[in-house]
């Protein structure tokens, strides 16, 4: 855990909403870009206050907040609901909606229609989609429809099965070349930024001189223009196995279990609520109410009389 003073990155200034030119400028001037995922209103407020530059409503929400085993089952309606909640908590960071599996692969028309839903219905600024290949065409179509697109190469969880599981990608010359081809193609069709996930740092470093858009890494080493982590991973809201690249910055699950356990114990021991958590009533009003309860007319009533 860092011992640096906790000063939000935007403290003391009225931060301007993040824009695509500003992100490009950050890349050009070597200012690292901080991106995080969020899936609801409270996590959006945290990202806003902490001074994050980009917030991704990741399809990782399928696992972190919906409890699925992979990102595959989450659909458009669920993603839109999560994204709209995040929008309500954000003012400054760029908001990117992650296009879920099955929402863009079918055709350019399907991709554009669902990208538009992220913008119109959830208030996102941009969308993200995974892989190269046919996704390059989809990205081009969405960009042409006027919607900024973020690419995603390397470990692409929506197709993890085809990639041999959740493991580092590009560890042979051939596989690294394939990742580079995908990245260059996504850049060429107008993606404003791209995520490199779980690729060797040396592969990233070798590609960076050919990249002209901000590259955001997750398990791709320190040579990218920025980093992204899943909110629940970095705060340890979830438990169990995490990928090698995750650094825990807090122990929130533990803190939440401690808090709720203390509450349960207080309720059982009648320590909660106490005086400070209860409302008062003027004694004269209370006396009048007690008189009302003692009336004979009330005493003889059956439940059906009410
Ligand atoms: O869904 C997600 O959280 C992501 C990030 C890991 C980039 O795609």
């Amino acid at each position: 855990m860092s011992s640096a003073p906790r000063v939000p990155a935007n403290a003391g200034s009225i931060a301007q909403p993040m824009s695509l030119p500003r992100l490009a400028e950050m890349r050009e001037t070597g200012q690292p870009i901080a991106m995080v995922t969020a899936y609801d209103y409270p996590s959006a407020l945290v990202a806003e206050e902490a001074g994050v530059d980009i917030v991704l409503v990741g399809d990782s929400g399928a696992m972190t907040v919906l409890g699925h085993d992979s990102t595959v089952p989450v659909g458009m309606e669920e993603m839109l609901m999560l994204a709209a909640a995040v929008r309500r908590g954000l003012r400054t960071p760029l908001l990117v909606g992650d296009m879920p599996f099955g929402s863009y692969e079918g055709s350019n028309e399907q991709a554009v229609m669902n990208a538009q839903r992220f913008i119109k219905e959830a208030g996102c600024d941009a969308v993200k989609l995974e892989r190269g290949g046919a996704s390059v065409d989809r990205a081009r179509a969405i960009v042409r429809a006027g919607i900024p697109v973020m690419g995603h190469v390397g470990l692409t969880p929506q197709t993890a099965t085809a990639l041999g599981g959740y493991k580092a990608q590009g560890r042979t010359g051939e596989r690294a070349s394939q990742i580079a081809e995908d990245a260059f193609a996504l850049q060429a069709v107008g993606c404003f930024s791209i995520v490199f996930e779980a690729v060797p740092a040396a592969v990233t470093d070798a590609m960076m001189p050919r990249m002209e858009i901000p590259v955001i890494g997750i398990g791709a080493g320190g040579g990218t223009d920025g980093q992204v982590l899943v909110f629940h991973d970095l705060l340890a809201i979830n438990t169990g196995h995490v990928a090698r690249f995750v650094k825990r910055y807090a122990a929130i699950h533990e803190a939440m279990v401690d808090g709720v356990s203390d509450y349960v114990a207080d309720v059982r021991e009648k320590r909660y609520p106490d005086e400070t958590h209860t409302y008062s009533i003027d004694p004269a009003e209370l006396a009048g109410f007690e008189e009302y309860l003692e009336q004979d007319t009330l005493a003889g009533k059956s439940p059906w009389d009410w």
Side-chain angles (χ1 to χ4, degrees):
M1 207 175 296
S2 165
S3 57
R6 288 185 187 164
V7 182
N10 58 8
S13 64
I14 310 269
Q16 293 301 310
M18 181 54 69
S19 64
L20 303 191
R22 173 78 190 119
L23 281 176
E25 182 187 304
M26 288 177 79
R27 187 195 80 87
E28 269 155 39
T29 55
Q31 294 172 65
I33 298 164
M35 170 166 153
V36 75
T37 66
Y39 315 99
D40 57 14
Y41 177 74
S43 53
L45 291 181
V46 170
E48 174 75 41
E49 208 176 315
V52 164
D53 301 305
I54 306 177
V55 169
L56 170 70
V57 183
D59 63 353
S60 50
M63 302 168 82
T64 56
V65 298
L66 301 178
H68 292 294
D69 287 342
S70 79
T71 60
V72 168
V74 74
M76 274 302 292
E77 303 310 320
E78 291 158 305
M79 288 300 295
L80 289 173
M81 191 193 70
L82 301 181
V86 171
R87 174 78 283 166
R88 288 177 212 119
L90 281 193
R91 195 181 59 80
T92 319
L94 193 85
L95 179 57
V96 182
D98 209 1
M99 300 195 68
F101 183 68
S103 71
Y104 60 95
E105 300 90 331
S107 66
N108 288 350
E109 291 70 29
Q110 181 202 31
V112 170
M113 185 193 74
N114 282 322
Q116 285 169 338
R117 292 193 70 192
F118 271 106
I119 309 300
K120 285 171 69 154
E121 296 176 36
C124 289
D125 302 305
V127 296
K128 179 172 85 57
L129 45 69
E130 293 189 4
R131 299 195 309 131
S135 292
V136 175
D137 264 349
R138 307 293 172 259
R140 183 194 286 115
I142 299 170
V143 170
R144 283 189 176 160
I147 297 172
V149 178
M150 177 179 264
H152 183 160
V153 298
L155 173 57
T156 46
Q158 291 175 5
T159 44
T161 309
L163 296 174
Y166 291 89
K167 55 186 196 188
Q169 300 296 308
R171 297 182 93 171
T172 63
E174 195 186 337
R175 284 293 303 134
S177 311
Q178 186 56 53
I179 291 171
E181 295 239 325
D182 291 340
F184 299 150
L186 288 161
Q187 170 168 265
V189 298
C191 286
F192 74 94
S193 175
I194 188 164
V195 170
F196 285 5
E197 179 165 353
V199 297
V203 170
T204 300
D205 293 346
M207 280 194 276
M208 285 308 285
R210 306 275 293 273
M211 296 306 298
E212 291 164 6
I213 56 176
V215 175
I216 311 294
I218 175 165
T224 53
D225 302 304
Q227 297 292 329
V228 56
L229 275 181
V230 167
F231 192 84
H232 287 53
D233 287 346
L234 82 94
L235 295 178
I237 294 174
N238 54 4
T239 53
H241 173 76
V242 282
R244 176 185 168 83
F245 53 74
V246 171
K247 180 172 172 186
R248 302 285 210 185
Y249 287 85
I252 300 301
H253 178 81
E254 216 175 290
M256 290 197 290
V257 173
D258 286 352
V260 176
S261 302
D262 287 351
Y263 161 73
V264 169
D266 274 6
V267 169
R268 297 223 164 104
E269 298 299 322
K270 289 188 163 291
R271 287 189 295 259
Y272 172 84
D274 66 23
E275 276 289 283
T276 62
H277 307 111
T278 53
Y279 299 102
S280 63
I281 179 172
D282 181 272
E285 294 294 333
L286 183 60
F289 174 58
E290 283 167 349
E291 253 173 51
Y292 159 80
L293 289 178
E294 278 159 22
Q295 286 174 99
D296 288 349
T297 47
L298 281 181
K301 277 194 173 171
S302 80
W304 311 113
D305 295 330
W306 297 96

